[in-house]
Amino acid sequence: MKKADIEKLGKYQILGELGRGAMGVVYKGFDPGIERNVAIKTVRKDMMIADDPDATRTQIERFRREAQAAGRMTHPNIVGVYEYGEDGETAFIAMEFVSGRSLKDFFDANERFDIKEIVRIMGDLLSALEYSHRNGIIHRDIKPANIMIAESGDVKITDFGIARIESSSLTQAGAVLGTPSYMAPEQFMGQRVDARSDLFSAGAVLYQFLTGEKPFTGSLTTIMHKVLNSNPEP
């Protein structure tokens, strides 16, 4: 864990930096009110506003929706969300802190799992997806980086930042969102997604579990062509 560039965010004490991504910085924080560690995902509004105000408003709204989507769900295999807040030019979500590693870390290190463990992890992933789909929420970005394996072995899905709540009109047909190697055909084509899109992505994760390789590789256009026109190598 790296030293953080801030000491406090809202009511939370910042203990360190966990990582950086397209959305912003993720910190490890501490809630002094109830004395528990939290993970805090942030977005710097001012940096995005300087680039494209309309895109910024959309992304901030999507970020707020992540809290709305995950915050209304209670499932042992979904990271719990505690609070959405804003502190100056920083929007943030405080969520359950999971001590462990992402599935991507295991895959990147070429660490393999036995079949029994694969069945258990995939069973937990699918249980969480069934729950979220039943609650009208499509994740849209199931991939190894968004699947945490806690030190206890528990499986936790994180990052509902591009989830589509079925009652929301924010994400319309024509918007391509997701991670190419795990995206369903309808996502590449900007069509409406449903629960089957998440299951396609889960299938891509299972393929990588079993083979050690992603089912579709190459440039974005190459991956898109393969997903739309061919099956992965058996």
Side-chain angles (χ1 to χ4, degrees):
M1 184 170 62
K2 294 169 56 178
K3 184 176 179 181
D5 51 1
I6 58 174
E7 296 182 354
K8 194 173 182 182
L9 194 60
K11 66 181 180 182
Y12 301 99
Q13 299 169 8
I14 302 301
L15 305 178
E17 181 181 312
L18 295 172
R20 291 175 178 261
M23 292 286 287
V25 183
V26 181
Y27 298 103
K28 181 179 181 180
F30 179 73
D31 183 345
I34 52 179
E35 299 186 341
R36 69 177 170 190
N37 290 329
V38 296
I40 303 173
K41 179 184 285 190
T42 66
V43 166
R44 287 283 298 174
K45 295 186 291 183
D46 56 342
M47 292 172 61
M48 296 159 58
I49 289 169
D51 181 36
D52 185 339
D54 290 335
T56 296
R57 283 190 290 272
T58 299
Q59 194 159 14
I60 291 297
E61 185 57 40
R62 183 169 290 131
F63 190 66
R64 184 182 294 111
R65 192 175 71 220
E66 175 175 357
Q68 179 187 11
R72 79 187 204 193
M73 294 190 293
T74 303
H75 189 279
N77 301 119
I78 296 175
V79 168
V81 167
Y82 304 137
E83 178 185 6
Y84 170 84
E86 298 186 16
D87 186 339
E89 292 302 320
T90 301
F92 66 88
I93 297 173
M95 64 187 75
E96 176 185 359
F97 176 75
V98 180
S99 182
R101 299 164 63 193
S102 74
L103 193 56
K104 181 179 185 297
D105 289 340
F106 286 95
F107 287 164
D108 287 349
N110 292 315
E111 296 181 42
R112 305 298 295 272
F113 296 78
D114 63 34
I115 293 295
K116 185 177 179 180
E117 269 296 277
I118 293 171
V119 170
R120 182 187 69 82
I121 294 170
M122 287 301 302
D124 287 347
L125 169 62
L126 293 172
S127 174
L129 288 177
E130 180 185 26
Y131 175 85
S132 68
H133 296 161
R134 218 168 46 233
N135 282 274
I137 299 169
I138 312 302
H139 188 286
R140 299 182 68 113
D141 198 20
I142 292 297
K143 60 182 178 181
N146 286 336
I147 302 168
M148 295 293 297
I149 309 296
E151 290 177 352
S152 63
D154 291 341
V155 178
K156 298 277 189 178
I157 300 179
T158 188
D159 199 356
F160 278 80
I162 61 172
R164 179 179 65 82
I165 300 176
E166 289 182 352
S167 60
S168 170
S169 61
L170 267 174
T171 302
Q172 302 290 348
V176 178
L177 298 169
T179 301
S181 291
Y182 306 93
M183 281 168 57
E186 61 271 18
Q187 289 179 280
F188 278 110
M189 294 186 290
Q191 296 176 350
R192 186 177 181 86
V193 304
D194 60 27
R196 293 169 294 183
S197 308
D198 282 347
L199 293 180
F200 183 98
S201 301
V205 172
L206 175 59
Y207 184 98
Q208 193 169 357
F209 258 128
L210 297 174
T211 67
E213 303 288 342
K214 297 174 184 176
F216 305 103
T217 58
S219 66
L220 173 59
T221 53
T222 300
I223 292 172
M224 180 170 64
H225 179 78
K226 288 179 178 178
V227 170
L228 295 177
N229 297 287
S230 61
N231 292 321
E233 183 179 350

